[in-house]
Amino acid sequence: MTGHVLTAMLAIALTVQPQVASASGQGPLHIAVEQLTELPSGVRQPEGLAIDPATGEIFVGTFDARMPEPERNNQLLRFSRQGKLLEQRRFGATPLTGLAFAQGKVYVRNFGASKLQRLPATFDASTPIEDVVTFKALTPAAPTSRHIDNPEGSHDQIVYGSSGFPGINGMVFDRAGNLYVSDSFQGAIYRITQATACSPCEVSVVSRDALLGTSAPLPFGANGLALSEDESTLYVTNAGDGRLLRMRLPAGPLEIVAESVFGADGLLFHQGLFWIASNQTDTVVALDETGRMRVRAGGFIGIGNGAPIGLLFPASTAVQNEWMIVTNLSLPITPMKGDEWEEEVSRWTLSRFRLPFIQ
């Protein structure tokens, strides 16, 4: 099937998509997506995403980690609200994960350097990058083991390992400027008090729960973060385990809200729903506070001219007025050749869909 035919199919789907999600027993609303823009040539794997709410400008960070180190080209990109490239700031070989916007600055999770960094939102190619804090190995480096009861009366004991490399990934600001950060490898949640004002900043650990670790083939545990409307509860996705978790602040135990959200990656709380980038099902799903799915957006349709049509390994979301923007990370994760559509991608994209009205 040609890229032109696939594009036509997608256009038809977009014209018939419903826009209202009902609270009745009609099942989740399904929404198609459209391509917003492409990354510049030679820039791969868009992962982190943030929006300036005042201007609608879009910030994208890349997780270019599969290429040999000299060939990696990680960048922070700034697009207009319409998707026109405005600026590029190179970060070199170190891959980037989550982004956040706060008080006129873009905060960057420099995964490869184990640092939180920031730049002015009006950055250009030569703007200095400010280090906010460097994350260290924890003691112990791995989260506690997990005891799992099996239905026939036996049990499993999962013992996690860790080299002590901080897998800093997701982050979310509260309204007071405090920042929560997830660590996918050491199974931790951190808090940085007054992160928009401190320099240098100090990091405190608020959780080392076994539910933050994973032994799954997708080797990222604690991932996306979101706060409830009253900021009394922190929500966390576990990508490897496919779970949405919650923790009463300041340091309550973790509880499971929902399971089987395969590759539960970026997390966003908006209009009473938890929007999760399900990177292993190529969709964005919205769950209510009981864990029930209310909306499913996207799906992988194919490759057209080297770019994914629909969603392919979505990693992060951000709201821009009536739109939800999505990064198509399109990252192969297995060592085998020929088993993943992501291997066919040569042009990386951002997608979007109109937010539905939730009754």
Side-chain angles (χ1 to χ4, degrees):
M1 186 177 292
T2 69
H4 294 297
V5 173
L6 288 168
T7 302
M9 290 172 60
L10 179 59
I12 292 171
L14 284 167
T15 63
V16 300
Q17 63 171 310
Q19 291 298 316
V20 178
S22 172
S24 68
Q26 297 178 3
L29 169 67
H30 289 245
I31 303 177
V33 304
E34 65 183 47
Q35 181 176 307
L36 171 62
T37 192
E38 289 186 12
L39 271 61
S41 177
V43 183
R44 297 172 286 269
Q45 270 89 46
E47 206 281 353
L49 182 65
I51 302 285
D52 180 344
T55 66
E57 290 184 347
I58 305 164
F59 304 93
V60 177
T62 66
F63 191 80
D64 187 354
R66 281 185 57 100
M67 301 292 288
E69 190 165 315
E71 299 176 39
R72 296 178 188 173
N73 182 23
N74 286 287
Q75 298 195 20
L76 177 65
L77 308 172
R78 177 157 58 98
F79 293 91
S80 72
R81 63 181 303 114
Q82 295 84 15
K84 178 184 178 182
L85 181 65
L86 301 176
E87 287 291 349
Q88 302 172 243
R89 179 63 170 91
R90 295 180 182 274
F91 279 71
T94 56
L96 313 177
T97 46
L99 301 184
F101 179 90
Q103 297 185 14
K105 294 187 177 181
V106 182
Y107 286 75
V108 181
R109 309 280 341 127
N110 192 322
F111 182 91
S114 300
K115 292 181 177 182
L116 172 66
Q117 299 174 314
R118 62 188 167 205
L119 301 83
T122 55
F123 68 86
D124 60 26
S126 60
T127 299
I129 300 169
E130 179 186 359
D131 290 345
V132 178
V133 71
T134 299
F135 294 83
K136 306 292 186 181
L138 299 175
T139 305
T144 58
S145 62
R146 188 192 303 176
H147 178 98
I148 300 175
D149 292 322
N150 295 320
E152 92 294 11
S154 68
H155 71 270
D156 302 323
Q157 193 76 16
I158 300 176
V159 178
Y160 297 107
S162 173
S163 68
F165 180 82
I168 50 175
N169 202 332
M171 60 180 165
V172 63
F173 278 99
D174 66 16
R175 287 186 283 270
N178 305 307
L179 182 66
Y180 294 89
V181 178
S182 67
D183 186 331
S184 297
F185 293 165
Q186 298 189 103
I189 303 296
Y190 305 109
R191 184 179 189 268
I192 303 172
T193 302
Q194 295 292 306
T196 57
C198 60
S199 183
C201 298
E202 302 222 354
V203 178
S204 60
V205 178
V206 298
S207 182
R208 293 297 311 281
D209 197 289
L211 287 172
L212 299 174
T214 187
S215 58
L218 185 65
F220 289 82
N223 202 306
L225 298 178
L227 287 163
S228 61
E229 183 63 34
D230 63 2
E231 299 189 342
S232 67
T233 305
L234 181 69
Y235 288 80
V236 188
T237 53
N238 184 313
D241 289 357
R243 286 173 168 159
L244 175 65
L245 310 169
R246 67 180 166 219
M247 180 183 77
R248 292 286 296 180
L249 294 173
L254 277 154
E255 302 173 314
I256 298 171
V257 178
E259 301 190 277
S260 300
V261 185
F262 300 112
D265 203 328
L267 176 63
L268 180 67
F269 181 70
H270 182 68
Q271 293 182 343
L273 295 178
F274 296 96
W275 296 85
I276 303 174
S278 177
N279 65 40
Q280 296 303 288
T281 65
D282 302 321
T283 60
V284 172
V285 299
L287 310 183
D288 62 24
E289 294 188 24
T290 70
R292 176 177 290 183
M293 186 186 300
R294 299 286 303 282
V295 181
R296 177 187 293 269
F300 176 62
I301 298 176
I303 306 290
N305 298 320
I309 301 174
L311 299 180
L312 184 59
F313 205 127
S316 298
T317 61
V319 171
Q320 184 197 64
N321 295 331
E322 73 274 19
W323 294 96
M324 182 161 284
I325 314 298
V326 188
T327 55
N328 281 307
L329 177 59
S330 303
L331 176 69
I333 60 173
T334 72
M336 290 79 76
K337 297 294 184 183
D339 64 322
E340 297 176 276
W341 283 104
E342 286 85 350
E343 298 173 48
E344 303 297 320
V345 173
S346 57
R347 297 157 61 204
W348 281 265
T349 62
L350 306 182
S351 294
R352 68 178 184 176
F353 60 91
R354 286 191 182 276
L355 286 162
F357 174 73
I358 307 297
Q359 291 183 336

